[in-house]
Amino acid sequence: QVQLVESGGGLVQAGGSLRLSCAASGRIFSSRHMGWFRQAPGKEREFVAVIGWRGASTYYAESVKGRFTISRDNAKNTVTLQMNSLKPGDTAVYYCAASINWGFAPSMYSAWGKGTQVTVSS
């Protein structure tokens, strides 16, 4: 249905910034809520942020609130995650995902990218 491809991951020192991007295929992207999740080795997949299909509504996990910003450009079929003041605990594979319903659980999202690695050194 919708194909998602993440980019922008890399290695950064604590306190630094990274900007992740997610490119989506198809016009149906504009009607999907888009979320960012992350997963560290040996840990469960964790909700990070979500943005509504119109881009007006956003919600963040408490652990990233005030540091991360999610945005979207429906004309370009892209979603971004600006990450500032990064901490070693942010180290994980980051995934973008699409859902027809508003929510924070991974099971609600039907389309996923393959992920991009973010590593934060101390």
Side-chain angles (χ1 to χ4, degrees):
Q1 294 191 9
V2 58
Q3 182 180 357
L4 306 174
V5 180
E6 304 95 337
S7 63
L11 175 65
V12 64
Q13 290 185 318
S17 299
L18 281 175
R19 182 176 181 271
L20 305 183
S21 296
C22 176
S25 64
R27 59 185 297 182
I28 62 173
F29 166 84
S30 62
S31 64
R32 260 63 172 176
H33 308 301
M34 297 297 300
W36 284 96
F37 295 79
R38 66 188 184 186
Q39 188 166 21
K43 297 185 178 180
E44 71 281 355
R45 192 172 302 165
E46 176 187 27
F47 168 78
V48 176
V50 63
I51 186 167
W53 70 275
R54 284 189 174 273
S57 299
T58 59
Y59 185 79
Y60 299 89
E62 288 295 326
S63 60
V64 307
K65 190 176 299 182
R67 299 188 297 122
F68 292 9
T69 302
I70 188 172
S71 61
R72 69 189 298 164
D73 186 339
N74 288 347
K76 296 181 178 180
N77 283 358
T78 58
V79 179
T80 63
L81 184 69
Q82 178 65 47
M83 305 185 295
N84 299 324
S85 301
L86 284 163
K87 306 174 181 179
D90 296 319
T91 296
V93 176
Y94 283 70
Y95 302 89
C96 65
S99 175
I100 62 173
N101 297 305
W102 180 264
F104 320 115
S107 61
M108 297 186 66
Y109 290 75
S110 58
W112 293 82
K114 294 183 178 180
T116 184
Q117 177 70 48
V118 172
T119 303
V120 184
S121 63
S122 61

